Amino acid sequence: MAPVNIFKHGADEEKAETARLSSFIGAIAIGDLVKSTLGPKGMDKILLGGGKAGTVTVTNDGATILKAIGVDNPAAKVLVDMSKVQDDEVGDGTTSVTVLAAELLREAELLIARKIHPQTIISGWRKATQAAREALRDAAVDHSNDPARFQEDLLNIARTTLSSKLLTHHKDHFAKLAVNAVMRLKGSGNLEAIHIIKKLGGSLTDSYLDEGFLLDKKIGVNQPKRLENANILIANTGMDTDKIKIFGSRVRVDSTAKVAEIELAEKEKMKEKVDRILKHGINCFINRQLIYNYPEQLFAQAGVMAIEHADFAGIERLALVTGGEITSTFDHPELVKLGHCKLIEEVMIGEDTLIHFSGVAMGEACTVVLRGATQQILDEAERSLHDALCVLAQTVKEPRTVYGGGCSEMLMAKVVSDLANRTPGKESVAMESFAKALMMLPTIIADNAGYDSADLVAQLRAAHQENKTTFGLNMSDGTVGNMVDLCITESFQVKRQMLLSASEAAEMILRVDNIIKAAPRSVQYFGPC
């Protein structure tokens, strides 16, 4: 009997082994793409953008690399999305989570070849995940009751996070900077209050933390350049109607005087608007849109500082830190919430003039000023610092920490291996494969540093068998060392999220036995226009 095709013409279907193989190949390829960036000695990738500009990005951040590449394989898309979620949730571990999921699928491919059913593998993996999670929880350390030790933990976590980034050579400087910024948040974890400004010039070590808010704009002409006890009105309104703008219509006049009358009416309208704004009792006006010459002149006469064309992200953050609200209408001054700060002044950074707001209502607000030789260095420094800030903000909320350098992965692998030895049936084979995938992470870290991974991982496994559960890889010397002495600490939240996300994504891809692609949309051609 001939096979019956139930799909539309052009639709495609991949079945059983073909579908599974296609998923495995796509996911493993994504893992292989980013695994060379893993660890403190990981390599960077250059991402060249399309279009006329051809933007160049140099990075070793897993999420940035995966966001930039366009993938067509559905399993690869699952890993890309998972990496984005890891980045949004905890900020770090984006490469680790992708590599672990890919290694799990590499092991699954071998098990499928040995005719072990996917559901048996999934069942074994679930038990292995649970055992690994409990082992990680038991190994976690909580120093939140001791402020001095917790501060040291935060510094160690920041150093460990930055050691695999561009900032590794200045990690002490940036770790202190990141910890100081996060400690100012007083446990709120609201990273919106930390503003990062990038300015070309100088070196990375010239970067600093400024206690206040910096806006990359200039103050209007003939207006006060310094204000104390500022009352700030933040607005998003058109201040450019002092010229005639009657689009799509025609006005007939019989003399030039009539045109002047229309212009005068426009000016009067603008003067009325400025008067309504001044009734709010303000001495600083910040607008999202342009402020033309006439209203700027009126503000200068009233002694009000006016700042125009503040970018939207900047104005939103400014409203947050000064305690004001963005306003568009000015008829009811009593309903408008003004922003307040103790001092507004112009400051010079490099060759640029910026506006500095100090003593803002939200005391935890601060600005990190990054300096660097090229735009690519500044962009990568911002990504690295953002990862560190995210991890630290998460650690302040969930203060438990675990040890890094492949220590946690080996600890989990040992527990899963022990469980596999006690488990009868085929599930034990799946658990053994889960342990192997976990052990691949320290192997890849050692490989990327150019060391003998087989020897190092064997030494590390032997150390863990002797219950030296704080031992991991020392990538500075290419040896196995005690992570407590080396101060290589990671956030418990990052490790837990990595384990759960990778196992869930791998399980989801392993369940697939059919891939159905929709028929491409047909384009009808009606001849030349």
Side-chain angles (χ1 to χ4, degrees):
M1 188 179 166
V4 180
N5 187 16
I6 59 169
F7 300 113
K8 250 186 190 177
H9 177 68
D12 188 24
E13 182 187 22
E14 291 177 12
K15 289 184 181 176
E17 289 304 311
T18 318
R20 205 165 277 132
L21 197 64
S22 161
S23 298
F24 288 161
I25 288 168
I28 291 166
I30 287 286
D32 288 344
L33 174 73
V34 294
K35 79 177 180 187
S36 63
T37 66
L38 189 66
K41 301 284 179 83
M43 309 300 276
D44 287 2
K45 309 273 182 205
I46 290 183
L47 307 171
L48 200 58
K52 290 177 186 174
T55 53
V56 175
T57 308
V58 183
T59 183
N60 72 347
D61 180 51
T64 308
I65 295 166
L66 294 179
K67 269 182 212 163
I69 58 170
V71 290
D72 195 31
N73 185 287
K77 280 183 180 167
V78 169
L79 291 202
V80 171
D81 290 345
M82 176 191 65
S83 150
K84 283 181 191 166
V85 169
Q86 178 82 3
D87 196 34
D88 298 340
E89 280 290 308
V90 287
D92 195 26
T94 49
T95 308
S96 307
V97 75
T98 311
V99 170
L100 180 55
E103 290 303 329
L104 282 169
L105 290 168
R106 201 190 299 273
E107 292 294 329
E109 191 179 8
L110 300 174
L111 296 182
I112 295 279
R114 288 165 60 183
K115 297 287 184 280
I116 296 176
H117 195 275
Q119 291 296 353
T120 310
I121 300 170
I122 287 166
S123 174
W125 280 1
R126 281 193 176 168
K127 289 176 183 173
T129 307
Q130 191 57 36
R133 188 180 179 178
E134 283 168 11
L136 194 65
R137 193 170 57 227
D138 294 341
V141 184
D142 186 352
H143 289 147
S144 54
N145 298 327
D146 184 346
R149 286 189 74 181
F150 187 56
Q151 180 92 353
E152 192 56 41
D153 273 352
L154 289 177
L155 278 168
N156 289 340
I157 286 170
R159 285 191 201 104
T160 306
T161 303
L162 294 171
S163 66
S164 62
K165 315 278 182 197
L166 172 83
L167 303 175
T168 180
H169 300 299
H170 316 290
K171 63 183 176 190
D172 286 334
H173 175 69
F174 282 98
K176 283 176 188 159
L177 192 145
V179 169
N180 290 342
V182 168
M183 291 309 273
R184 283 179 66 86
L185 298 180
K186 302 181 181 73
S188 73
N190 182 10
L191 292 178
E192 282 293 311
I194 301 172
H195 184 35
I196 298 177
I197 283 184
K198 298 176 288 188
K199 284 287 164 197
L200 277 171
S203 70
L204 282 169
T205 43
D206 297 335
S207 306
Y208 64 93
L209 179 73
D210 191 290
E211 297 181 359
F213 185 85
L214 284 165
L215 191 65
D216 197 356
K217 289 290 157 192
K218 289 183 175 58
I219 296 166
V221 183
N222 295 330
Q223 291 170 359
K225 303 293 181 197
R226 180 187 164 90
L227 267 187
E228 290 186 9
N229 299 321
N231 293 323
I232 308 162
L233 178 63
I234 303 163
N236 184 7
T237 184
M239 300 294 287
D240 54 354
T241 48
D242 59 330
K243 291 187 170 52
I244 299 176
K245 286 200 302 187
I246 307 172
F247 297 111
S249 58
R250 295 168 74 183
V251 181
R252 284 191 179 182
V253 289
D254 50 12
S255 69
T256 319
K258 292 282 170 57
V259 178
E261 278 178 32
I262 295 173
E263 283 187 344
L264 193 63
E266 286 281 352
K267 275 195 167 185
E268 281 300 317
K269 195 171 147 193
M270 178 50 70
K271 189 172 189 312
E272 205 180 296
K273 187 171 187 178
V274 171
D275 288 342
R276 286 209 310 273
I277 289 169
L278 294 174
K279 276 181 188 168
H280 289 72
I282 57 164
N283 51 10
C284 177
F285 177 69
I286 300 171
N287 194 22
R288 164 81 184 88
Q289 299 177 40
L290 288 168
I291 301 175
Y292 270 26
N293 298 353
Y294 182 60
E296 191 175 66
Q297 182 187 329
L298 293 175
F299 282 126
Q301 285 167 4
V304 171
M305 180 190 287
I307 301 161
E308 66 171 2
H309 219 239
D311 60 280
F312 200 72
I315 209 168
E316 287 247 314
R317 196 176 268 118
L318 188 63
L320 174 80
V321 299
T322 56
E325 284 178 357
I326 300 173
T327 314
S328 296
T329 54
F330 311 100
D331 297 323
H332 301 285
E334 68 283 358
L335 300 177
V336 174
K337 196 175 174 187
L338 298 179
H340 302 280
C341 83
K342 286 181 183 165
L343 177 67
I344 303 175
E345 60 185 342
E346 281 191 332
V347 292
M348 288 284 289
I349 296 177
E351 295 176 2
D352 298 329
T353 309
L354 289 87
I355 304 166
H356 184 246
F357 297 76
S358 52
V360 289
M362 191 180 189
E364 50 259 39
C366 57
T367 304
V368 177
V369 180
L370 289 176
R371 308 298 309 279
T374 70
Q375 193 60 45
Q376 285 81 14
I377 287 175
L378 283 176
D379 291 344
E380 181 64 357
E382 184 190 19
R383 280 189 290 271
S384 305
L385 192 62
H386 178 262
D387 282 3
L389 290 170
C390 286
V391 173
L392 291 172
Q394 286 290 337
T395 311
V396 169
K397 289 180 189 170
E398 165 55 276
R400 286 179 286 180
T401 58
V402 292
Y403 294 109
C407 166
S408 302
E409 285 83 357
M410 191 53 80
L411 181 84
M412 291 189 283
K414 177 182 177 287
V415 170
V416 172
S417 274
D418 292 347
L419 179 65
N421 293 338
R422 298 195 304 272
T423 306
K426 288 182 179 178
E427 282 182 2
S428 63
V429 185
M431 290 176 189
E432 200 58 58
S433 72
F434 196 93
K436 273 188 200 165
L438 281 167
M439 273 192 269
M440 280 307 292
L441 286 168
T443 307
I444 292 165
I445 290 170
D447 277 337
N448 288 347
Y451 298 125
D452 182 351
S453 60
D455 180 40
L456 280 176
V457 172
Q459 285 182 41
L460 183 57
R461 191 166 58 203
H464 276 260
Q465 288 297 335
E466 292 168 15
N467 282 332
K468 295 177 180 173
T469 52
T470 57
F471 271 52
L473 299 177
N474 175 0
M475 285 293 97
S476 304
D477 305 334
T479 56
V480 169
N482 191 344
M483 297 294 106
V484 181
D485 302 336
L486 294 167
C487 301
I488 297 174
T489 313
E490 291 192 49
S491 167
F492 167 74
Q493 182 82 345
V494 171
K495 275 280 177 271
R496 184 179 64 186
Q497 188 69 31
M498 178 203 85
L499 174 73
L500 299 180
S501 296
S503 61
E504 281 171 15
E507 184 183 311
M508 184 179 165
I509 292 167
L510 186 55
R511 282 175 178 274
V512 172
D513 75 336
N514 239 13
I515 298 174
I516 300 159
K517 291 181 184 170
R521 276 197 310 184
S522 55
V523 180
Q524 289 181 317
Y525 180 65
F526 296 107
C529 297

